[in-house]
Amino acid sequence: MKTIFTSVLLLTLLIGCTKNIDVQLRSAPSQIVIQGTITNGGDPYYIRINRTVPFDAENTYPAVSGAGVYVLDSTDNKLYRFYESPIDAGVYISAYLVGQMGHTYKMYVNIDGEEYIATSTMPNLVTMKGISFTQTKILEETRNLPQVNFQDPPNVKNYYVFSLLVNDVPYQAFYALDDRLSDGNFVRHQLYMDSAYIQKEDVVKVIMANVDRNIYNYFNVLQANGGTSGTPSNPPSNISNGALGYFGASSVDVRSIQF
């Protein structure tokens, strides 16, 4: 279980560090960026808040300190406060909140009198049946790629986001998938790696997040734009009041395999 918690934390940090915001015009006003995830893995959970900067400014995004950050478990009608980290400005950490499948979570963020709200329901967990490897040739190079294998539940709309680590180093890309063409089928989904090659004895860890439609849409656009920094358009946010980013509740499965 500790491995799952560690992997979820790595996923959260990887998401939080990805600069998935729009290229800002020189005269564009600063915008709030909020990124947070609640999972079935147990707390702590993290909500990261930053501001955008003009296009010609230094490529750093200032942390937002002093925000009021709360998450309501609408199913249990319990409100949880997130406290700002004393060592990482702009990162707010949960206390006592334990995410549960089927529960709806509502995030409230107050910054200088402005309120930002988002809602997400945690889907039921779909687990991986295993990880395998496939090979493909690109420009005469043989590339080893991980493949996730799982059974999609029938007659249920499912949305998935995959991420991976190689030897505990996050690969900075995401893979969004829905079951529009595979409802109820056994799925073998290849995780394409653009520049990293898996070598003998490498350990690959795959994180499979079951997400709601809003979070799928966010990462699907991010994936279509390359999945890393410098995307030409903002992924669609589910947060109110013009904030960028996302707030999502996801159920997570983690598996590892050595090549």
Side-chain angles (χ1 to χ4, degrees):
M1 187 64 72
K2 182 178 179 181
T3 299
I4 294 179
F5 295 167
T6 302
S7 300
V8 170
L9 173 59
L10 286 168
L11 171 62
T12 302
L13 293 176
L14 176 56
I15 292 171
C17 291
T18 302
K19 299 183 181 71
N20 44 25
I21 59 175
D22 194 8
V23 172
Q24 301 295 309
L25 299 178
R26 294 177 186 273
S27 60
S30 177
Q31 290 179 270
I32 295 294
V33 183
I34 302 173
Q35 296 169 309
T37 304
I38 306 297
T39 74
N40 59 316
D43 74 347
Y45 304 117
Y46 301 86
I47 294 175
R48 182 184 297 271
I49 307 177
N50 297 83
R51 293 185 186 273
T52 63
V53 293
F55 178 68
D56 58 350
E58 184 180 349
N59 191 28
T60 58
Y61 301 92
V64 175
S65 291
V69 180
Y70 297 86
V71 171
L72 173 68
D73 183 334
S74 299
T75 305
D76 284 346
N77 197 31
K78 293 182 179 179
L79 186 66
Y80 300 87
R81 182 177 177 181
F82 281 56
Y83 295 87
E84 188 170 8
S85 167
I87 59 174
D88 197 357
V91 175
Y92 298 80
I93 306 171
S94 66
Y96 308 114
L97 171 60
V98 178
Q100 299 182 63
M101 290 175 283
H103 284 217
T104 297
Y105 297 92
K106 193 168 188 177
M107 179 191 70
Y108 299 89
V109 174
N110 189 287
I111 302 170
D112 298 330
E114 294 287 334
E115 189 167 55
Y116 305 88
I117 300 173
T119 301
S120 182
T121 299
M122 187 183 298
N124 289 327
L125 179 65
V126 177
T127 61
M128 289 176 275
K129 299 300 182 183
I131 308 169
S132 55
F133 291 97
T134 62
Q135 288 189 334
T136 186
K137 272 198 169 183
I138 300 177
L139 299 176
E140 302 305 317
E141 294 272 6
T142 299
R143 189 170 298 184
N144 303 305
L145 301 177
Q147 175 179 279
V148 291
N149 308 292
F150 63 96
Q151 178 64 53
D152 182 81
N155 304 315
V156 178
K157 195 63 183 173
N158 294 101
Y159 304 94
Y160 309 100
V161 175
F162 301 92
S163 56
L164 60 86
L165 303 90
V166 179
N167 300 324
D168 285 329
V169 177
Y171 180 67
Q172 294 200 15
F174 300 95
Y175 311 86
L177 178 70
D178 69 3
D179 65 354
R180 180 172 54 92
L181 301 177
S182 59
D183 181 55
N185 295 338
F186 191 84
V187 178
R188 297 175 175 85
H189 185 61
Q190 189 179 86
L191 303 181
Y192 179 80
M193 302 180 73
D194 181 54
S195 58
Y197 295 87
I198 297 172
Q199 304 295 332
K200 190 66 176 176
E201 298 186 356
D202 283 348
V203 176
V204 177
K205 181 179 293 180
V206 176
I207 303 167
M208 176 179 178
N210 300 264
V211 301
D212 65 18
R213 183 175 181 178
N214 286 329
I215 302 308
Y216 164 79
N217 287 340
Y218 181 93
F219 283 100
N220 191 42
V221 170
L222 187 63
Q223 173 182 254
N225 287 325
T228 55
S229 62
T231 61
S233 62
N234 291 324
S237 176
N238 66 331
I239 305 171
S240 69
N241 202 13
L244 304 178
Y246 68 92
F247 170 75
S250 59
S251 55
V252 175
D253 186 33
V254 181
R255 301 291 178 95
S256 296
I257 188 173
Q258 186 174 40
F259 182 64

